[in-house]
Amino acid sequence: MKNTYNLEFKLFFRSNSAWVGILVLLVTGFAGLYFGKTFIDKQNQAIEKAALLQQKNTRNNVEHFGNDIGLFFFHNKFSMANVPQPWAAFANGQRDVNPYLISATMLALEGQLYDTEISNPVSLLFGNMDLSFVFIYLFPLVIIALVYNLIAEERELGIWPLLKSQTNQLSKLIWKKFMVRTLAIYLTSIILLIAAVLYLHLPTDQNLLAVTVIIWLYLAFWLAVSFFVISLSKFSSYNASVLVALWVLLCVVLPASLNLVLSQKYSVPEALQNVINQREGYHEKWDMPKEVTMKPFFEHYPQLKQYPFPADKTFSWFWYYGMQQMGDDQAVESRKAVAEKLKLRQHFTSIAALLLPTVQTQLGINEVAGTDLNAHLAFQEAYRSFHEKTRLQFYPAIFLENGIETTKVSSTKLETFAPGTIKDWTRLVSLSLLTILFLTLTLRNLKEIQIVK
């Protein structure tokens, strides 16, 4: 048996296609590591600059608007950064489309929360290349290229009659050929994972275990599917056509269809309504009696009643910031509706992904990397809490019209948010069951295979 495996290894690596496939995976994998790390490094650099700029801009605002504390906080921004975790360079996820840095003044938040940098829509359409892309989309193609003619080539070259005359255990011989290719794929994946740990400085913890298991199960699924198709004992052209069609279906068509279904089933008109509610809640107060603004404001913040409200003034910062708060308060219901729709989208995607290994794997890796939608929603909620804390910290000084020097605002720094990582081990169940299903069907086909002369 050892000599048989040695022979199969020699035959496999004598093939130029085998070396080309492995080299393609290694080259694109190293490129994915470089581009993924470069993308995250740029975000880290932007976060570092934002920390310096916040302090610089605060000093400039003190210099220009320090005599009017209300005007100072009208202009001064407070920032929070969604700091990427080490695994974010492995799987960039949604960090290219969702803002990772939020800067807002003490005015109504909902109108500022979704501001982000201007990006080229074409580049957003193509996305960023990282190592997870190589594992999810390119590894299956190389598996197909290495496996599609495993049986058909022997038949088409007229070798089957010779094999049949020499052994009555053709299924074991086929299995050995398949195991050689499987070993080559997994060795390549190990090389890339080790390179990722070293190049990206990934900690060797449960996250590494989770990502490795998810990727290996995903590769096992594609190996099982490919082996099942070739076990049907069809011609190599048939095998290649079917496997490529499956790749297009599972990696392109069905994920795109799922996105379309999500857009239709869980459309988010509340997003526009949220902005409208916030703006109307603020702007309409200009033409209303001050009591219409201040009564609900004091109901929201009863602790602020202790500060004297200058009702006799035509304009006061007390009233102005109260209007801003009422804009956010009037948008609370629509804001919650938007968050609920996004959570429903995520839940529906998780359920649908049980039958979509590509989506399942992508979701699992993004969760571990902290680059999924849930991480972004948590970042938004963290900023809302930070914004509320900032308001309550500086409201008293504004309402008492104290000097800016009493607030110690110059000591404020960039806040950071670290997304939590999720290791949803239940994701492995569907991948495992699908892999076992195709392997079982393959073994049955190998037992019943008929040798065609």
Side-chain angles (χ1 to χ4, degrees):
M1 184 177 292
K2 181 179 179 181
N3 291 335
T4 305
Y5 274 112
N6 289 337
L7 178 61
E8 290 299 333
F9 269 107
K10 291 179 181 179
L11 291 174
F12 174 73
F13 285 106
R14 282 179 183 176
S15 171
N16 291 332
S17 61
W19 285 108
V20 169
I22 293 173
L23 286 175
V24 165
L25 292 178
L26 290 176
V27 171
T28 55
F30 294 144
L33 282 173
Y34 172 77
F35 288 120
K37 186 175 186 298
T38 301
F39 176 74
I40 295 301
D41 284 346
K42 289 181 179 178
Q43 292 193 349
N44 281 323
Q45 291 170 8
I47 291 172
E48 291 176 1
K49 291 180 180 178
L52 297 175
L53 283 173
Q54 173 164 310
Q55 294 181 337
K56 179 182 177 181
N57 290 337
T58 299
R59 289 193 298 268
N60 291 339
N61 288 333
V62 169
E63 181 180 349
H64 289 90
F65 310 111
N67 294 330
D68 189 334
I69 188 172
L71 188 60
F72 169 83
F73 284 105
F74 177 90
H75 289 282
N76 201 63
K77 291 188 175 183
F78 301 89
S79 302
M80 175 180 280
N82 182 0
V83 180
Q85 301 302 294
W87 280 97
F90 185 96
N92 298 161
Q94 297 190 14
R95 290 190 67 93
D96 57 345
V97 294
N98 292 324
Y100 59 91
L101 186 65
I102 299 178
S103 298
T105 64
M106 284 177 54
L107 306 183
L109 177 60
E110 293 303 317
Q112 306 177 77
L113 192 60
Y114 304 96
D115 292 342
T116 183
E117 61 182 6
I118 299 175
S119 301
N120 188 331
V122 176
S123 65
L124 291 178
L125 178 64
F126 285 107
N128 295 290
M129 181 178 177
D130 49 35
L131 188 54
S132 69
F133 173 87
V134 176
F135 277 117
I136 293 173
Y137 295 99
L138 299 188
F139 261 81
L141 287 175
V142 174
I143 290 173
I144 292 170
L146 296 180
V147 175
Y148 81 97
N149 62 348
L150 189 62
I151 299 177
E153 184 180 33
E154 309 291 343
R155 294 173 52 195
E156 293 166 1
L157 294 177
I159 300 177
W160 274 114
L162 178 61
L163 292 175
K164 183 180 180 181
S165 65
Q166 293 181 344
T167 180
N168 59 355
Q169 295 182 334
L170 285 173
S171 61
K172 290 186 177 181
L173 179 61
I174 296 170
W175 185 258
K176 291 175 183 177
K177 290 178 177 290
F178 176 73
M179 290 304 296
V180 168
R181 287 153 177 78
T182 299
L183 184 59
I185 290 295
Y186 277 101
L187 285 176
T188 305
S189 71
I190 290 173
I191 292 173
L192 290 176
L193 286 171
I194 293 174
V197 170
L198 297 176
Y199 184 64
L200 303 178
H201 306 290
L202 301 176
T204 53
D205 54 11
Q206 288 189 358
N207 289 336
L208 176 60
L209 175 63
V211 171
T212 302
V213 173
I214 291 172
I215 288 174
W216 281 1
L217 271 178
Y218 179 70
L219 297 181
F221 164 79
W222 275 105
L223 286 163
V225 169
S226 301
F227 202 14
F228 167 72
V229 172
I230 66 171
S231 71
L232 298 175
S233 194
K234 302 291 184 179
F235 291 104
S236 57
S237 58
Y238 173 88
N239 296 340
S241 299
V242 170
L243 288 172
V244 171
L246 283 173
W247 181 87
V248 172
L249 183 68
L250 293 176
C251 294
V252 180
V253 177
L254 290 180
S257 301
L258 175 61
N259 186 55
L260 182 62
V261 170
L262 288 174
S263 300
Q264 296 295 325
K265 184 178 179 63
Y266 298 109
S267 59
V268 194
E270 294 88 353
L272 176 60
Q273 189 61 44
N274 184 47
V275 177
I276 294 174
N277 289 344
Q278 183 267 318
R279 291 182 180 275
E280 286 184 347
Y282 155 60
H283 286 292
E284 67 182 4
K285 301 299 189 298
W286 286 103
D287 303 318
M288 296 181 177
K290 292 183 176 63
E291 292 76 12
V292 176
T293 297
M294 301 315 297
K295 182 180 178 180
F297 178 77
F298 286 131
E299 290 175 354
H300 189 134
Y301 298 113
Q303 70 272 31
L304 298 180
K305 287 184 178 180
Q306 59 181 304
Y307 301 105
F309 172 67
D312 55 327
K313 289 186 178 180
T314 304
F315 174 85
S316 67
W317 289 115
F318 203 144
W319 171 57
Y320 182 80
Y321 283 102
M323 286 197 298
Q324 294 289 334
Q325 179 62 56
M326 290 305 97
D328 280 344
D329 285 357
Q330 191 160 320
V332 166
E333 294 302 322
S334 55
R335 172 174 67 81
K336 291 181 178 179
V338 172
E340 184 64 25
K341 282 288 184 71
L342 293 178
K343 290 179 181 178
L344 288 173
R345 280 190 175 191
Q346 189 75 356
H347 179 71
F348 183 84
T349 301
S350 298
I351 298 300
L354 294 175
L355 299 176
L356 299 175
T358 303
V359 179
Q360 186 78 285
T361 304
Q362 186 73 74
L363 288 177
I365 295 176
N366 287 349
E367 285 176 352
V368 173
T371 57
D372 61 335
L373 178 60
N374 287 331
H376 175 66
L377 293 178
F379 173 50
Q380 286 188 331
E381 286 303 312
Y383 189 86
R384 286 191 176 97
S385 298
F386 167 66
H387 192 261
E388 178 81 353
K389 178 182 176 182
T390 302
R391 280 174 165 172
L392 292 177
Q393 178 182 353
F394 296 115
Y395 272 162
I398 296 173
F399 299 161
L400 293 174
E401 298 183 357
N402 292 337
I404 194 65
E405 67 279 356
T406 63
T407 63
K408 298 181 181 179
V409 69
S410 299
S411 63
T412 58
K413 299 179 180 179
L414 175 86
E415 292 290 318
T416 58
F417 168 79
T421 59
I422 303 173
K423 291 175 285 293
D424 187 358
W425 297 103
T426 59
R427 295 197 179 281
L428 306 180
V429 176
S430 63
L431 280 172
S432 301
L433 292 177
L434 289 172
T435 302
I436 293 171
L437 172 63
F438 281 106
L439 282 177
T440 303
L441 295 174
T442 300
L443 292 174
R444 188 194 65 178
N445 290 343
L446 289 179
K447 291 180 180 179
E448 300 176 355
I449 191 169
Q450 298 294 323
I451 309 303
V452 181
K453 297 182 181 180

PDB file of all heavy atoms in Angstrom, residues 423-447:
ATOM      1  N   LYS A 423     -17.836  32.756  17.995  1.00  0.00           N
ATOM      2  CA  LYS A 423     -17.485  31.435  17.468  1.00  0.00           C
ATOM      3  C   LYS A 423     -18.750  30.582  17.543  1.00  0.00           C
ATOM      4  O   LYS A 423     -19.008  29.894  18.539  1.00  0.00           O
ATOM      5  CB  LYS A 423     -16.335  30.833  18.267  1.00  0.00           C
ATOM      6  CG  LYS A 423     -15.017  31.571  18.058  1.00  0.00           C
ATOM      7  CD  LYS A 423     -13.910  31.045  18.931  1.00  0.00           C
ATOM      8  CE  LYS A 423     -14.069  31.490  20.361  1.00  0.00           C
ATOM      9  NZ  LYS A 423     -13.900  32.942  20.540  1.00  0.00           N
ATOM     10  N   ASP A 424     -19.562  30.668  16.481  1.00  0.00           N
ATOM     11  CA  ASP A 424     -20.813  29.928  16.440  1.00  0.00           C
ATOM     12  C   ASP A 424     -20.524  28.528  15.897  1.00  0.00           C
ATOM     13  O   ASP A 424     -20.532  28.290  14.693  1.00  0.00           O
ATOM     14  CB  ASP A 424     -21.820  30.664  15.546  1.00  0.00           C
ATOM     15  CG  ASP A 424     -23.197  30.038  15.603  1.00  0.00           C
ATOM     16  OD1 ASP A 424     -23.346  29.015  16.299  1.00  0.00           O
ATOM     17  OD2 ASP A 424     -24.126  30.546  14.944  1.00  0.00           O
ATOM     18  N   TRP A 425     -20.276  27.602  16.806  1.00  0.00           N
ATOM     19  CA  TRP A 425     -19.894  26.253  16.392  1.00  0.00           C
ATOM     20  C   TRP A 425     -21.027  25.520  15.698  1.00  0.00           C
ATOM     21  O   TRP A 425     -20.790  24.504  15.024  1.00  0.00           O
ATOM     22  CB  TRP A 425     -19.425  25.453  17.614  1.00  0.00           C
ATOM     23  CG  TRP A 425     -18.200  26.028  18.254  1.00  0.00           C
ATOM     24  CD1 TRP A 425     -18.150  26.765  19.398  1.00  0.00           C
ATOM     25  CD2 TRP A 425     -16.844  25.948  17.785  1.00  0.00           C
ATOM     26  NE1 TRP A 425     -16.859  27.144  19.675  1.00  0.00           N
ATOM     27  CE2 TRP A 425     -16.033  26.654  18.711  1.00  0.00           C
ATOM     28  CE3 TRP A 425     -16.239  25.350  16.675  1.00  0.00           C
ATOM     29  CZ2 TRP A 425     -14.656  26.769  18.557  1.00  0.00           C
ATOM     30  CZ3 TRP A 425     -14.873  25.467  16.532  1.00  0.00           C
ATOM     31  CH2 TRP A 425     -14.090  26.158  17.456  1.00  0.00           C
ATOM     32  N   THR A 426     -22.275  26.009  15.848  1.00  0.00           N
ATOM     33  CA  THR A 426     -23.392  25.346  15.159  1.00  0.00           C
ATOM     34  C   THR A 426     -23.271  25.477  13.649  1.00  0.00           C
ATOM     35  O   THR A 426     -23.888  24.708  12.913  1.00  0.00           O
ATOM     36  CB  THR A 426     -24.733  25.934  15.623  1.00  0.00           C
ATOM     37  OG1 THR A 426     -24.755  27.352  15.339  1.00  0.00           O
ATOM     38  CG2 THR A 426     -24.925  25.733  17.122  1.00  0.00           C
ATOM     39  N   ARG A 427     -22.495  26.461  13.171  1.00  0.00           N
ATOM     40  CA  ARG A 427     -22.298  26.600  11.728  1.00  0.00           C
ATOM     41  C   ARG A 427     -21.611  25.372  11.140  1.00  0.00           C
ATOM     42  O   ARG A 427     -21.730  25.086   9.956  1.00  0.00           O
ATOM     43  CB  ARG A 427     -21.475  27.845  11.420  1.00  0.00           C
ATOM     44  CG  ARG A 427     -22.157  29.144  11.776  1.00  0.00           C
ATOM     45  CD  ARG A 427     -21.484  30.313  11.079  1.00  0.00           C
ATOM     46  NE  ARG A 427     -22.145  31.559  11.404  1.00  0.00           N
ATOM     47  CZ  ARG A 427     -23.277  31.971  10.849  1.00  0.00           C
ATOM     48  NH1 ARG A 427     -23.865  31.206   9.963  1.00  0.00           N
ATOM     49  NH2 ARG A 427     -23.821  33.119  11.182  1.00  0.00           N
ATOM     50  N   LEU A 428     -20.870  24.663  11.969  1.00  0.00           N
ATOM     51  CA  LEU A 428     -20.136  23.509  11.476  1.00  0.00           C
ATOM     52  C   LEU A 428     -21.056  22.331  11.201  1.00  0.00           C
ATOM     53  O   LEU A 428     -20.692  21.419  10.456  1.00  0.00           O
ATOM     54  CB  LEU A 428     -19.069  23.097  12.494  1.00  0.00           C
ATOM     55  CG  LEU A 428     -18.091  24.193  12.943  1.00  0.00           C
ATOM     56  CD1 LEU A 428     -17.108  23.626  13.954  1.00  0.00           C
ATOM     57  CD2 LEU A 428     -17.359  24.779  11.750  1.00  0.00           C
ATOM     58  N   VAL A 429     -22.243  22.361  11.796  1.00  0.00           N
ATOM     59  CA  VAL A 429     -23.146  21.225  11.661  1.00  0.00           C
ATOM     60  C   VAL A 429     -23.601  21.046  10.219  1.00  0.00           C
ATOM     61  O   VAL A 429     -23.539  19.947   9.647  1.00  0.00           O
ATOM     62  CB  VAL A 429     -24.361  21.382  12.597  1.00  0.00           C
ATOM     63  CG1 VAL A 429     -25.352  20.235  12.378  1.00  0.00           C
ATOM     64  CG2 VAL A 429     -23.908  21.424  14.041  1.00  0.00           C
ATOM     65  N   SER A 430     -24.086  22.134   9.598  1.00  0.00           N
ATOM     66  CA  SER A 430     -24.591  22.013   8.229  1.00  0.00           C
ATOM     67  C   SER A 430     -23.485  21.642   7.258  1.00  0.00           C
ATOM     68  O   SER A 430     -23.688  20.801   6.368  1.00  0.00           O
ATOM     69  CB  SER A 430     -25.255  23.325   7.798  1.00  0.00           C
ATOM     70  OG  SER A 430     -24.317  24.384   7.768  1.00  0.00           O
ATOM     71  N   LEU A 431     -22.285  22.245   7.423  1.00  0.00           N
ATOM     72  CA  LEU A 431     -21.161  21.888   6.556  1.00  0.00           C
ATOM     73  C   LEU A 431     -20.801  20.416   6.726  1.00  0.00           C
ATOM     74  O   LEU A 431     -20.535  19.710   5.735  1.00  0.00           O
ATOM     75  CB  LEU A 431     -19.953  22.759   6.887  1.00  0.00           C
ATOM     76  CG  LEU A 431     -19.932  24.177   6.306  1.00  0.00           C
ATOM     77  CD1 LEU A 431     -18.771  24.960   6.891  1.00  0.00           C
ATOM     78  CD2 LEU A 431     -19.840  24.156   4.797  1.00  0.00           C
ATOM     79  N   SER A 432     -20.796  19.949   7.947  1.00  0.00           N
ATOM     80  CA  SER A 432     -20.450  18.550   8.208  1.00  0.00           C
ATOM     81  C   SER A 432     -21.486  17.606   7.604  1.00  0.00           C
ATOM     82  O   SER A 432     -21.131  16.594   6.977  1.00  0.00           O
ATOM     83  CB  SER A 432     -20.338  18.306   9.717  1.00  0.00           C
ATOM     84  OG  SER A 432     -19.363  19.145  10.289  1.00  0.00           O
ATOM     85  N   LEU A 433     -22.767  17.923   7.793  1.00  0.00           N
ATOM     86  CA  LEU A 433     -23.824  17.050   7.274  1.00  0.00           C
ATOM     87  C   LEU A 433     -23.802  16.983   5.753  1.00  0.00           C
ATOM     88  O   LEU A 433     -23.962  15.905   5.163  1.00  0.00           O
ATOM     89  CB  LEU A 433     -25.187  17.531   7.771  1.00  0.00           C
ATOM     90  CG  LEU A 433     -25.444  17.375   9.279  1.00  0.00           C
ATOM     91  CD1 LEU A 433     -26.802  17.953   9.644  1.00  0.00           C
ATOM     92  CD2 LEU A 433     -25.360  15.909   9.683  1.00  0.00           C
ATOM     93  N   LEU A 434     -23.610  18.132   5.095  1.00  0.00           N
ATOM     94  CA  LEU A 434     -23.550  18.133   3.630  1.00  0.00           C
ATOM     95  C   LEU A 434     -22.347  17.336   3.128  1.00  0.00           C
ATOM     96  O   LEU A 434     -22.442  16.591   2.134  1.00  0.00           O
ATOM     97  CB  LEU A 434     -23.488  19.567   3.119  1.00  0.00           C
ATOM     98  CG  LEU A 434     -24.763  20.395   3.258  1.00  0.00           C
ATOM     99  CD1 LEU A 434     -24.499  21.856   2.900  1.00  0.00           C
ATOM    100  CD2 LEU A 434     -25.870  19.833   2.363  1.00  0.00           C
ATOM    101  N   THR A 435     -21.225  17.481   3.805  1.00  0.00           N
ATOM    102  CA  THR A 435     -20.023  16.732   3.408  1.00  0.00           C
ATOM    103  C   THR A 435     -20.238  15.233   3.573  1.00  0.00           C
ATOM    104  O   THR A 435     -19.911  14.432   2.680  1.00  0.00           O
ATOM    105  CB  THR A 435     -18.824  17.193   4.250  1.00  0.00           C
ATOM    106  OG1 THR A 435     -18.632  18.596   4.064  1.00  0.00           O
ATOM    107  CG2 THR A 435     -17.562  16.452   3.830  1.00  0.00           C
ATOM    108  N   ILE A 436     -20.802  14.831   4.704  1.00  0.00           N
ATOM    109  CA  ILE A 436     -21.066  13.413   4.951  1.00  0.00           C
ATOM    110  C   ILE A 436     -22.045  12.855   3.937  1.00  0.00           C
ATOM    111  O   ILE A 436     -21.899  11.720   3.451  1.00  0.00           O
ATOM    112  CB  ILE A 436     -21.586  13.219   6.393  1.00  0.00           C
ATOM    113  CG1 ILE A 436     -20.488  13.551   7.403  1.00  0.00           C
ATOM    114  CG2 ILE A 436     -22.094  11.806   6.602  1.00  0.00           C
ATOM    115  CD1 ILE A 436     -20.967  13.586   8.839  1.00  0.00           C
ATOM    116  N   LEU A 437     -23.059  13.651   3.573  1.00  0.00           N
ATOM    117  CA  LEU A 437     -24.043  13.215   2.595  1.00  0.00           C
ATOM    118  C   LEU A 437     -23.393  12.891   1.257  1.00  0.00           C
ATOM    119  O   LEU A 437     -23.614  11.810   0.683  1.00  0.00           O
ATOM    120  CB  LEU A 437     -25.109  14.305   2.413  1.00  0.00           C
ATOM    121  CG  LEU A 437     -26.111  14.083   1.270  1.00  0.00           C
ATOM    122  CD1 LEU A 437     -26.943  12.833   1.522  1.00  0.00           C
ATOM    123  CD2 LEU A 437     -27.004  15.310   1.097  1.00  0.00           C
ATOM    124  N   PHE A 438     -22.570  13.794   0.752  1.00  0.00           N
ATOM    125  CA  PHE A 438     -21.941  13.566  -0.554  1.00  0.00           C
ATOM    126  C   PHE A 438     -20.907  12.443  -0.493  1.00  0.00           C
ATOM    127  O   PHE A 438     -20.751  11.685  -1.450  1.00  0.00           O
ATOM    128  CB  PHE A 438     -21.299  14.857  -1.059  1.00  0.00           C
ATOM    129  CG  PHE A 438     -22.276  15.819  -1.652  1.00  0.00           C
ATOM    130  CD1 PHE A 438     -22.658  16.968  -0.966  1.00  0.00           C
ATOM    131  CD2 PHE A 438     -22.846  15.585  -2.890  1.00  0.00           C
ATOM    132  CE1 PHE A 438     -23.559  17.856  -1.510  1.00  0.00           C
ATOM    133  CE2 PHE A 438     -23.761  16.456  -3.446  1.00  0.00           C
ATOM    134  CZ  PHE A 438     -24.116  17.606  -2.755  1.00  0.00           C
ATOM    135  N   LEU A 439     -20.207  12.320   0.622  1.00  0.00           N
ATOM    136  CA  LEU A 439     -19.251  11.212   0.748  1.00  0.00           C
ATOM    137  C   LEU A 439     -19.974   9.868   0.774  1.00  0.00           C
ATOM    138  O   LEU A 439     -19.504   8.880   0.187  1.00  0.00           O
ATOM    139  CB  LEU A 439     -18.423  11.387   2.018  1.00  0.00           C
ATOM    140  CG  LEU A 439     -17.292  12.407   1.957  1.00  0.00           C
ATOM    141  CD1 LEU A 439     -16.601  12.531   3.300  1.00  0.00           C
ATOM    142  CD2 LEU A 439     -16.277  12.044   0.873  1.00  0.00           C
ATOM    143  N   THR A 440     -21.119   9.821   1.452  1.00  0.00           N
ATOM    144  CA  THR A 440     -21.898   8.582   1.498  1.00  0.00           C
ATOM    145  C   THR A 440     -22.383   8.191   0.108  1.00  0.00           C
ATOM    146  O   THR A 440     -22.286   7.014  -0.298  1.00  0.00           O
ATOM    147  CB  THR A 440     -23.097   8.749   2.443  1.00  0.00           C
ATOM    148  OG1 THR A 440     -22.634   9.119   3.740  1.00  0.00           O
ATOM    149  CG2 THR A 440     -23.896   7.466   2.541  1.00  0.00           C
ATOM    150  N   LEU A 441     -22.892   9.165  -0.641  1.00  0.00           N
ATOM    151  CA  LEU A 441     -23.341   8.887  -2.006  1.00  0.00           C
ATOM    152  C   LEU A 441     -22.173   8.463  -2.891  1.00  0.00           C
ATOM    153  O   LEU A 441     -22.320   7.585  -3.762  1.00  0.00           O
ATOM    154  CB  LEU A 441     -24.013  10.135  -2.590  1.00  0.00           C
ATOM    155  CG  LEU A 441     -25.320  10.575  -1.908  1.00  0.00           C
ATOM    156  CD1 LEU A 441     -25.793  11.909  -2.498  1.00  0.00           C
ATOM    157  CD2 LEU A 441     -26.395   9.510  -2.073  1.00  0.00           C
ATOM    158  N   THR A 442     -21.018   9.036  -2.656  1.00  0.00           N
ATOM    159  CA  THR A 442     -19.832   8.689  -3.445  1.00  0.00           C
ATOM    160  C   THR A 442     -19.408   7.251  -3.178  1.00  0.00           C
ATOM    161  O   THR A 442     -19.101   6.497  -4.125  1.00  0.00           O
ATOM    162  CB  THR A 442     -18.672   9.644  -3.112  1.00  0.00           C
ATOM    163  OG1 THR A 442     -19.064  10.973  -3.422  1.00  0.00           O
ATOM    164  CG2 THR A 442     -17.441   9.283  -3.914  1.00  0.00           C
ATOM    165  N   LEU A 443     -19.383   6.858  -1.926  1.00  0.00           N
ATOM    166  CA  LEU A 443     -18.989   5.490  -1.583  1.00  0.00           C
ATOM    167  C   LEU A 443     -19.947   4.475  -2.190  1.00  0.00           C
ATOM    168  O   LEU A 443     -19.530   3.398  -2.653  1.00  0.00           O
ATOM    169  CB  LEU A 443     -18.938   5.339  -0.066  1.00  0.00           C
ATOM    170  CG  LEU A 443     -17.822   6.111   0.645  1.00  0.00           C
ATOM    171  CD1 LEU A 443     -17.963   5.995   2.160  1.00  0.00           C
ATOM    172  CD2 LEU A 443     -16.459   5.613   0.198  1.00  0.00           C
ATOM    173  N   ARG A 444     -21.214   4.816  -2.201  1.00  0.00           N
ATOM    174  CA  ARG A 444     -22.185   3.923  -2.826  1.00  0.00           C
ATOM    175  C   ARG A 444     -21.930   3.801  -4.323  1.00  0.00           C
ATOM    176  O   ARG A 444     -21.983   2.707  -4.893  1.00  0.00           O
ATOM    177  CB  ARG A 444     -23.611   4.448  -2.583  1.00  0.00           C
ATOM    178  CG  ARG A 444     -24.714   3.496  -3.038  1.00  0.00           C
ATOM    179  CD  ARG A 444     -26.044   4.198  -3.098  1.00  0.00           C
ATOM    180  NE  ARG A 444     -26.028   5.236  -4.134  1.00  0.00           N
ATOM    181  CZ  ARG A 444     -27.073   5.997  -4.436  1.00  0.00           C
ATOM    182  NH1 ARG A 444     -28.194   5.887  -3.740  1.00  0.00           N
ATOM    183  NH2 ARG A 444     -26.992   6.909  -5.385  1.00  0.00           N
ATOM    184  N   ASN A 445     -21.614   4.944  -4.963  1.00  0.00           N
ATOM    185  CA  ASN A 445     -21.339   4.906  -6.402  1.00  0.00           C
ATOM    186  C   ASN A 445     -20.075   4.112  -6.712  1.00  0.00           C
ATOM    187  O   ASN A 445     -19.995   3.404  -7.722  1.00  0.00           O
ATOM    188  CB  ASN A 445     -21.196   6.322  -6.949  1.00  0.00           C
ATOM    189  CG  ASN A 445     -22.522   7.071  -6.972  1.00  0.00           C
ATOM    190  OD1 ASN A 445     -23.589   6.458  -6.887  1.00  0.00           O
ATOM    191  ND2 ASN A 445     -22.464   8.381  -7.068  1.00  0.00           N
ATOM    192  N   LEU A 446     -19.065   4.218  -5.848  1.00  0.00           N
ATOM    193  CA  LEU A 446     -17.817   3.487  -6.089  1.00  0.00           C
ATOM    194  C   LEU A 446     -18.024   1.978  -5.986  1.00  0.00           C
ATOM    195  O   LEU A 446     -17.367   1.206  -6.694  1.00  0.00           O
ATOM    196  CB  LEU A 446     -16.747   3.920  -5.085  1.00  0.00           C
ATOM    197  CG  LEU A 446     -16.169   5.343  -5.278  1.00  0.00           C
ATOM    198  CD1 LEU A 446     -15.147   5.650  -4.201  1.00  0.00           C
ATOM    199  CD2 LEU A 446     -15.537   5.484  -6.670  1.00  0.00           C
ATOM    200  N   LYS A 447     -18.930   1.580  -5.113  1.00  0.00           N
ATOM    201  CA  LYS A 447     -19.208   0.147  -5.002  1.00  0.00           C
ATOM    202  C   LYS A 447     -19.935  -0.373  -6.234  1.00  0.00           C
ATOM    203  O   LYS A 447     -19.801  -1.551  -6.591  1.00  0.00           O
ATOM    204  CB  LYS A 447     -20.050  -0.113  -3.751  1.00  0.00           C
ATOM    205  CG  LYS A 447     -19.291   0.106  -2.442  1.00  0.00           C
ATOM    206  CD  LYS A 447     -20.189  -0.177  -1.246  1.00  0.00           C
ATOM    207  CE  LYS A 447     -19.419   0.050   0.070  1.00  0.00           C
ATOM    208  NZ  LYS A 447     -20.281  -0.194   1.262  1.00  0.00           N
TER     209      LYS A 447
END
